[in-house]
Amino acid sequence: MKNFIVGFLLVGSCLFGQEKVRIKILSYNIHYGIGMDKKKDLSRIARVIKESGADIVGIQEVADSIMVAKLSSLTGMYGVFGESMEKNKIPNLYTLLQLQEPEDLLYYGDAILSKLPFTYVGNIWIPSASESRYEAMAIDLKIGERQELIRFITTHFDYLNTIGSKVSRMAAVDVIEEKFMTNYEGPSILTGDFNSTPNSKTLTLLQSRGWVLNKTNERLLTAPSSKPSFQIDYVMPRPEEKWKIIALEVIQEKNASDHLPILMTLELN
């Protein structure tokens, strides 16, 4: 699969100390830059990202590599795109029926933005039982004076509430585990729109794999942005003994996308 990386000058930095490193992580489903007012405006998305102070951002629902390049330019961050479906890979149904393929199926996926340079690990397609296709992508980067390696993953899980989609989300966890965590035991961070609530089987499975769900009495509602009623967007570090969760908040930007971004401040022990 093709992947695209665009680099820009580094702006900002993590809060490096002698022994401990703090880093801000944002997960944001940007709805292709289309806000609740039906207007497409990437500058709003870029503003939210910059004002959050995030060092690394996992982004879901990105149209193409051009959109990533624009966001990278607007935020001053390095960017990489991971496609869920490539151009010219037309679904068989449209081919058989000789129908024009819908524009939103031509090319879409997820992305990662980072203030720090990184090494691209890869991009994989994950199971789906809906008409949509999904992926997971990962990068490696070094942080702090000791230049400790961390792995950062972002993904987007199947969205339907059917039995097949529920099974697909569970299977996606195993695919990510096999692809990105086999033979890797270092500090890691997983972000994404999991289309699953905190008490779901998907989140239970993720936690059994070592991903940490922040336990808080505060309801972290991320969707829909205009009137949030549930959480389906997450930042999850791993392993627990390597990370301390300093802060976690949902940014109340109700117009730029149909999701609210979630921001976690982590300290690496």
Side-chain angles (χ1 to χ4, degrees), residues 31-254:
H31 196 225
Y32 309 102
I34 301 172
M36 298 305 289
D37 56 4
K38 308 300 182 183
K39 296 180 181 179
K40 184 176 180 179
D41 187 350
L42 289 181
S43 64
R44 292 188 296 197
I45 300 296
R47 175 182 55 78
V48 174
I49 292 172
K50 291 179 69 174
E51 290 181 356
S52 75
D55 298 293
I56 315 174
V57 188
I59 305 177
Q60 302 81 47
E61 295 194 9
V62 179
D64 50 31
S65 59
I66 297 174
M67 181 172 284
V68 179
K70 290 180 179 178
L71 285 172
S72 184
S73 178
L74 288 168
T75 59
M77 302 172 79
Y78 297 94
V80 60
F81 174 68
E83 78 277 1
S84 295
M85 181 175 290
E86 295 186 59
K87 286 180 178 178
N88 301 323
K89 290 197 173 183
I90 302 175
N92 290 335
L93 179 62
Y94 292 99
T95 303
L96 291 172
L97 297 179
Q98 296 182 333
L99 297 175
Q100 183 177 355
E101 186 181 10
E103 184 178 352
D104 62 355
L105 290 181
L106 289 177
Y107 210 20
Y108 64 88
D110 303 321
I112 296 172
L113 297 178
S114 172
K115 289 181 178 178
L116 299 169
F118 56 78
T119 300
Y120 183 70
V121 175
N123 172 54
I124 54 169
W125 295 351
I126 57 175
S128 170
S130 70
E131 75 279 5
S132 299
R133 293 294 173 262
Y134 299 94
E135 64 88 49
M137 60 190 299
I139 62 171
D140 285 343
L141 67 161
K142 295 179 180 180
I143 64 174
E145 292 181 351
R146 298 181 181 181
Q147 289 291 280
E148 183 153 9
L149 182 72
I150 67 169
R151 177 155 293 178
F152 182 88
I153 304 168
T154 199
T155 188
H156 190 184
F157 288 174
D158 198 342
Y159 79 101
L160 293 179
N161 195 33
T162 62
I163 294 175
S165 290
K166 291 177 181 178
V167 171
S168 293
R169 288 190 286 271
M170 301 284 280
V173 174
D174 290 331
V175 170
I176 290 171
E177 198 73 20
E178 179 180 354
K179 175 64 177 180
F180 294 133
M181 303 308 295
T182 300
N183 301 321
Y184 180 84
E185 298 179 355
S188 308
I189 302 168
L190 174 66
T191 65
D193 174 358
F194 301 156
N195 277 306
S196 307
T197 58
N199 295 322
S200 66
K201 291 183 179 179
T202 303
L203 268 293
T204 299
L205 180 59
L206 283 166
Q207 291 175 85
S208 75
R209 298 292 190 266
W211 299 106
V212 178
L213 177 65
N214 185 57
K215 305 296 184 181
T216 176
N217 293 325
E218 182 183 1
R219 298 186 69 197
L220 300 169
L221 309 179
T222 62
S225 61
S226 57
K227 193 176 181 180
S229 57
F230 47 84
Q231 180 183 5
I232 55 176
D233 304 274
Y234 299 88
V235 178
M236 302 181 75
R238 166 180 169 180
E240 188 170 11
E241 63 269 17
K242 291 294 292 185
W243 296 104
K244 179 180 180 181
I245 299 174
I246 302 300
L248 180 62
E249 65 172 306
V250 176
I251 297 174
Q252 299 300 314
E253 168 49 72
K254 297 183 180 294

Side-chain angles (χ1 to χ4, degrees), residues 3-37:
N3 293 284
F4 303 84
I5 300 177
V6 285
F8 290 84
L9 291 176
L10 181 63
V11 176
S13 63
C14 300
L15 303 176
F16 295 157
Q18 291 295 322
E19 297 296 333
K20 297 180 180 179
V21 181
R22 286 192 180 182
I23 190 167
K24 288 187 175 183
I25 306 297
L26 189 74
S27 185
Y28 198 4
N29 182 324
I30 67 169
H31 196 225
Y32 309 102
I34 301 172
M36 298 305 289
D37 56 4

